[in-house]
Amino acid sequence: MILITGATGYIGSHTWVELLNAGYDVVGIDNLCNSNIKVLDRIEAITSVKPKFIEMNVCNSNALKSLFNLYSIDAVIHFAALKAVGKSVNNPLEYYKNNLGGILELTQVMSEKNCFTLVFSSSATVYDANNPIPYQEGMPLGSTSPYGWTKLMSEQMLRDLEISNPNFSVAYLRYFNPIGAHESGFIGEDPLGIPNNLMPYITQVAIGKRPHLSIYGNDWLTHDGTGVRDYIHVVDLARGHLKALNYLMSGKGSILVNLGTGKGFSVLDLVKAFEKASNRKIPYQFAPRRIGDIAAFYSDSARAQKDLNWRAEYDLYRMCEDSWRWQSMNPNGYE
Ligand code: NAD
Ligand code: UDP
């Protein structure tokens, strides 16, 4: 049995579908602080499997112990965390408490219950922004936000845990920028309130919820002056988790990899691809640079290809098509 924490969230729900499609027995937990219970019906509609789900906080040690008593859990994929970079600057303690508390309680209970296999959601935000691109796994680390520090500190905690208990094997997966949605249009990204990230903002402009996109800066040192990122289809990302799980379960030890496409696209590249895929015009205005942003980063994805035999398959156009299908079939998300 595989445990997914943060299972009803954006990446968790897509990974859950991939695991069920691959025949895994899965139990999901989430406290629904940033997701919707209706995800469960959607997962069932896609997979024809009724998802096993328990609403609980991953920081709740007693609830975790009961869960491990109820199910014989072989491995955990840990997505549960708060992820809004800006909010983490205003509420750092909430972020440290939730994200570090979650990993602490989870790994303590895992140790107690003899479950030593963990896939951890890390992020490209752990790389020092002064690194040259593409980012490689061995490059210097650093962070500019409490959110980023929770990921860096979690990685460190897990490394220390591995040293103290060599039974543990951990996959540290550093994600770049997930966008897109399941091809069915049944599950996708459903941000609360005004989206912070580019793709959900674009799709809300396309559906008429917002008048225009503000592009943060047109004077960056990039090919067209707008920010460059490594956008990866969420289903490709989800499949990377299955590869990582197989790697850990085959007893090869721990692994640290980037999950990205290895290609950078600008804000304007994404807008153009989206307009083509959706056949809609995206009005935009240039606005000042967003505080904390950097010009460009993308992944070196060679290690994931070599060690996990994984590479992203979907291109930018497909990411836009799937994001648009999700948004147009669900104008108000899961509500
Ligand atoms: P998400 O917010 O959609 O999913 C996270 C889920 O965790 C939510 O359903 C939320 O309700 C749940 N959760 C949060 N705290 C919890 C707690 N204490 N107990 C139980 N459930 C809790 O986010 P996502 O985009 O699916 O991200 C999943 C993971 O990937 C997170 O750890 C995030 O930091 C990491 N990540 C995301 C991105 C991205 O751009 N989406 C990039 C890099 C890393
Ligand atoms: N961006 C933008 N307008 C928005 C949201 C984002 O121009 O409304 C830009 C942002 O400056 C960055 C890129 O889009 O260059 C990706 O931003 P996102 O927040 O999605 O990802 P992150 O910056 O966290 O990598």
Side-chain angles (χ1 to χ4, degrees):
M1 172 76 76
I2 309 297
L3 168 63
I4 308 183
T5 77
T8 42
Y10 175 44
I11 308 171
S13 55
H14 287 83
T15 305
W16 202 344
V17 164
E18 294 304 310
L19 285 168
L20 292 176
N21 283 342
Y24 284 94
D25 207 0
V26 181
V27 58
I29 64 169
D30 202 297
N31 65 356
L32 303 174
C33 70
N34 197 39
S35 53
N36 196 308
I37 192 79
K38 291 182 183 152
V39 168
L40 300 178
D41 294 335
R42 304 295 183 89
I43 291 177
E44 185 172 357
I46 297 170
T47 63
S48 306
V49 178
K50 196 167 177 56
K52 296 185 183 76
F53 175 73
I54 300 179
E55 183 178 337
M56 59 172 274
N57 193 320
V58 74
C59 301
N60 182 339
S61 171
N62 287 333
L64 278 175
K65 283 179 193 161
S66 311
L67 177 76
F68 275 78
N69 289 339
L70 194 61
Y71 295 106
S72 166
I73 294 176
D74 304 298
V76 181
I77 307 182
H78 180 50
F79 292 108
L82 300 174
K83 65 163 180 178
V85 175
K87 283 189 190 153
S88 80
V89 175
N90 297 326
N91 303 302
L93 300 183
E94 186 189 356
Y95 272 68
Y96 287 117
K97 186 174 176 192
N98 191 70
N99 295 2
L100 297 181
I103 195 92
L104 259 176
E105 300 301 342
L106 175 68
T107 48
Q108 232 156 36
V109 173
M110 285 175 70
S111 306
E112 240 176 84
K113 304 290 179 186
N114 292 323
C115 174
F116 299 117
T117 305
L118 177 66
V119 178
F120 174 65
S121 297
S122 189
S123 166
T125 187
V126 301
Y127 289 108
D128 186 325
N130 295 314
N131 283 313
I133 42 178
Y135 288 171
Q136 291 171 340
E137 288 85 349
M139 283 181 173
L141 305 177
S143 185
T144 50
S145 73
Y147 167 72
W149 280 112
T150 68
K151 293 293 172 189
L152 258 174
M153 290 177 178
S154 298
E155 283 197 5
Q156 185 61 46
M157 280 160 61
L158 292 172
R159 255 177 235 117
D160 291 339
L161 178 63
E162 278 186 70
I163 293 168
S164 73
N165 184 347
N167 289 323
F168 261 98
S169 59
V170 180
Y172 303 84
L173 305 184
R174 292 183 181 156
Y175 313 155
F176 282 69
N177 289 52
I179 59 172
H182 191 265
E183 62 180 356
S184 62
F186 288 179
I187 56 172
E189 187 170 12
D190 182 19
L192 286 176
I194 302 172
N196 294 308
N197 297 112
L198 180 59
M199 182 55 103
Y201 207 101
I202 290 177
T203 60
Q204 291 198 5
V205 171
I207 200 90
K209 276 192 163 176
R210 316 213 171 262
H212 68 269
L213 169 71
S214 295
I215 298 185
Y216 301 137
N218 60 350
D219 55 355
W220 296 102
L221 280 179
T222 61
H223 62 275
D224 61 16
T226 66
V228 165
R229 297 288 183 274
D230 183 343
Y231 297 99
I232 174 171
H233 197 296
V234 66
V235 171
D236 275 329
L237 188 69
R239 291 177 182 156
H241 291 72
L242 270 70
K243 293 279 189 177
L245 200 58
N246 287 339
Y247 182 97
L248 297 179
M249 288 177 129
S250 66
K252 292 182 188 152
S254 293
I255 185 164
L256 160 65
V257 283
N258 289 335
L259 293 183
T261 63
K263 294 190 197 100
F265 288 100
S266 71
V267 177
L268 285 174
D269 291 334
L270 189 64
V271 168
K272 278 181 214 143
F274 187 86
E275 287 185 333
K276 210 167 149 201
S278 65
N279 210 13
R280 300 252 164 156
K281 204 84 203 122
I282 303 298
Y284 63 81
Q285 293 174 358
F286 291 115
R289 291 179 176 190
R290 186 171 63 175
I291 294 167
D293 262 0
I294 60 173
F297 63 86
Y298 50 89
S299 65
D300 183 323
S301 53
R303 190 188 283 184
Q305 208 167 319
K306 181 169 158 281
D307 291 350
L308 291 184
N309 189 26
W310 171 92
R311 58 188 292 192
E313 306 213 325
Y314 295 129
D315 63 11
L316 197 67
Y317 185 79
R318 173 66 188 265
M319 297 181 215
C320 293
E321 272 187 327
D322 288 342
S323 287
W324 175 234
R325 187 179 305 104
W326 155 251
Q327 181 72 80
S328 46
M329 282 173 63
N330 306 273
N332 297 313
Y334 289 105
E335 283 311 322

